[in-house]
Amino acid sequence: MRKSADWMTIADERILEFLRDNESGTPTTISRNEDVRFGRSHIHQRVKKLESHGLVRFLGNGVYVLTDEGKQYLDGQLDAAELEPDDDN
């Protein structure tokens, strides 16, 4: 079972699952996925939040990938409530 944090939303779950299944993505490509169902702008805000907590990494040109911590979270091996935000993001 996944252990989410109070700052997380259902959009975060969908974004992380998309990145696991597709290896990488931009807010635009993620928003076009029928399982995600959130707009590009909202996804952009959420990937920045996920990045600040270390669950995704920004590669440049709008592309994000899942980090090892993101994979551990999806596998139920990481409690997201224990992650501290990086104020630089």
Side-chain angles (χ1 to χ4, degrees):
M1 177 179 232
R2 293 181 189 157
K3 298 174 186 167
S4 62
D6 59 0
W7 56 266
M8 295 182 80
T9 70
I10 190 68
D12 300 339
E13 295 278 338
R14 299 298 172 263
I15 292 165
L16 294 171
E17 290 166 352
F18 177 92
L19 293 174
R20 176 187 58 203
D21 295 345
N22 295 277
E23 297 185 21
S24 67
T26 66
T28 300
T29 59
I30 296 168
S31 70
R32 290 181 181 156
N33 183 278
E34 65 184 28
D35 295 327
V36 176
R37 298 186 181 198
F38 294 94
R40 187 208 60 79
S41 178
H42 184 67
I43 290 171
H44 182 260
Q45 292 174 341
R46 297 313 307 168
V47 293
K48 297 305 266 177
K49 186 75 157 180
L50 292 166
E51 180 186 19
S52 76
H53 284 83
L55 296 173
V56 302
R57 184 167 47 102
F58 181 63
L59 296 181
N61 293 325
V63 178
Y64 290 85
V65 295
L66 199 60
T67 63
D68 289 339
E69 289 83 2
K71 293 172 189 173
Q72 290 171 359
Y73 169 75
L74 288 174
D75 291 340
Q77 300 171 347
L78 177 77
D79 184 348
E82 295 177 1
L83 298 173
E84 294 292 328
D86 177 0
D87 293 330
D88 293 339
N89 291 321

